[in-house]
């Protein structure tokens, strides 16, 4: 049965685990195939064409391993790839949904009281047209100001399991202070690695910003898409997760185990090439 196949989830590294957690909450009966392209992370500062190519290879690898669709759990990859992927996989005989991530500007605009919203993202996501489109669609009409902050250092720190360390806090202090000073009361976490920095952001800025990410909304959307395509697994649970990485599996095992918090039990991680 095709609905019994696992759902693919892709990120350049461990950031997509923040989305996977929401997917597992929303879809407890599903099996997941999580692919982290750890041989290439971080991708946020790479050229558009390279980001597109790495994403296409990862999605092809998940397709070849029997996934029934893919959640691109990476804002940077989504920014450059969704259209191409949908063209590529939309033409097949069987449905193969591609679900992507868009920075959560819409709920942040709805919630702001100061009229200033901050977006923290990678250089790639800031360059891509998806963010521009959602700002134009949701922020501009109401006159909400959107201020962006960028860093290429945060993703590698999360990958190393140092989201709560002094270095991450120093980077956050530097890049987010101008947003706080400009009166931003909402901070869109425009990269799936950043929910893991919530503790450090709170430690530096207290309740200055409400932190807004897209994980829960994407999980709800995924349920609707699978349902519409006849691909929702009927089982109640518990679903399973297989973790695949393109880099060193030993290095990834520790950080994945910490971030998914499976009662301290080591998760099994397999190395694949894309
Ligand atoms: N988790 C990815 C994102 O959401 C990180 C991109 C990177 O590897 O720099 O953008």
């Amino acid at each position: 049965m095709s609905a019994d196949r696992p759902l693919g989830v892709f990120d350049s590294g461990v950031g997509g685990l923040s989305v996977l957690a929401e997917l597992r909450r929303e879809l407890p009966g599903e099996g997941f195939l999580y692919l982290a392209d750890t041989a290439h992370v971080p991708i946020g500062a790479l050229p558009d064409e390279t980001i597109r190519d790495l994403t296409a290879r990862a999605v092809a690898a998940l397709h070849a391993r029997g996934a029934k669709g893919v959640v691109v759990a990476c804002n940077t990859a989504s920014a450059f790839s969704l259209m191409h992927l949908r063209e590529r996989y939309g033409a097949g005989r069987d449905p193969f949904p591609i679900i992507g991530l868009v920075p959560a500007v819409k709920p942040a605009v709805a919630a702001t009281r100061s009229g200033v919203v901050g977006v923290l993202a990678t250089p790639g996501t800031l360059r891509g047209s998806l963010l521009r489109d959602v700002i134009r669609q949701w922020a501009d009409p109401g006159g909400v100001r959107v201020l962006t902050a960028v860093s290429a250092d945060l993703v590698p720190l999360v990958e190393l399991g140092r989201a709560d360390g002094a270095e991450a806090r120093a980077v956050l202090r530097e890049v987010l202070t101008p947003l706080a000073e400009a009166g931003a009361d909402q901070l869109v976490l425009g990269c799936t690695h950043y929910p893991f920095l919530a503790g450090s952001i709170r430690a530096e800025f207290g309740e200055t910003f409400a932190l807004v990410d897209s994980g829960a909304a994407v999980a709800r959307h995924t349920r609707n898409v699978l349902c519409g395509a006849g691909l929702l697994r009927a089982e109640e649970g518990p679903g399973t997760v297989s973790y695949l990485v393109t880099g060193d599996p030993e290095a990834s095992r520790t950080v994945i185990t910490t971030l998914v918090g499976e009662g301290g039990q080591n998760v099994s991680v397999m190395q694949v090439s894309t």
Side-chain angles (χ1 to χ4, degrees):
M1 270 294 290
S2 68
D4 282 337
R5 288 176 295 149
L7 180 63
V9 180
F10 164 65
D11 182 42
S12 56
V14 296
L17 296 174
S18 66
V19 179
L20 180 67
E22 299 292 346
L23 288 167
R24 292 182 79 183
R25 235 189 302 281
E26 180 71 31
L27 300 162
E30 293 292 338
F32 295 95
L33 210 47
Y34 183 92
L35 172 59
D37 193 3
T38 49
H40 298 105
V41 69
I43 61 168
L46 297 177
D48 305 6
E49 203 42 59
T50 312
I51 295 171
R52 203 171 290 136
D53 179 53
L54 291 172
T55 307
R57 280 163 49 185
V59 171
L62 287 165
H63 184 257
R65 285 174 177 273
K68 61 184 174 185
V70 171
V71 178
V72 181
C74 174
N75 289 89
T76 311
S78 293
F80 296 103
S81 305
L82 294 182
M83 237 172 51
H84 292 81
L85 291 171
R86 286 177 184 145
E87 273 169 19
R88 157 83 180 77
Y89 292 97
R93 209 161 26 93
D94 298 321
F96 186 80
I98 302 285
I99 295 147
L101 247 72
V102 181
V105 169
K106 182 184 174 186
V109 164
T112 183
R113 287 168 177 272
S114 66
V116 185
V117 163
V119 178
L120 176 62
T122 67
T125 297
L126 292 188
R127 219 173 44 239
S129 58
L130 270 188
L131 177 63
R132 257 199 318 276
D133 290 349
V134 287
I135 292 174
R136 205 172 295 141
Q137 187 176 2
W138 302 110
D140 291 351
V144 170
R145 257 176 93 204
V146 177
L147 302 176
T148 57
V150 65
S151 168
D153 298 328
L154 292 169
V155 167
L157 288 169
V158 175
E159 288 294 315
L160 291 168
R162 295 197 207 141
D164 296 322
E167 218 179 324
R169 285 177 59 168
V171 173
L172 289 164
R173 194 158 57 238
E174 187 189 326
V175 299
L176 295 181
T177 295
L179 275 52
E181 286 176 354
D185 63 350
Q186 310 289 312
L187 181 64
V188 176
L189 303 177
C191 166
T192 55
H193 281 73
Y194 297 167
F196 296 116
L197 293 163
S200 287
I201 298 173
R202 289 264 171 267
E204 288 298 321
F205 293 93
E207 300 301 316
T208 304
F209 315 111
L211 305 181
V212 193
D213 72 68
S214 345
V218 168
R220 286 194 299 275
H221 179 58
T222 302
R223 166 182 281 281
N224 290 337
V225 171
L226 291 182
C227 209
L231 290 173
L232 196 65
R233 190 162 182 256
E235 301 297 314
E236 278 301 308
T240 54
V241 188
S242 303
Y243 297 95
L244 311 173
V245 296
T246 55
D248 175 12
E250 296 305 322
S252 294
R253 182 169 300 122
T254 313
V255 64
I256 292 177
T257 300
T258 309
L259 295 180
V260 299
E262 304 239 328
Q265 264 191 351
N266 263 347
V267 294
S268 99
V269 178
M270 200 170 91
Q271 190 176 28
V272 295
S273 54
T274 60

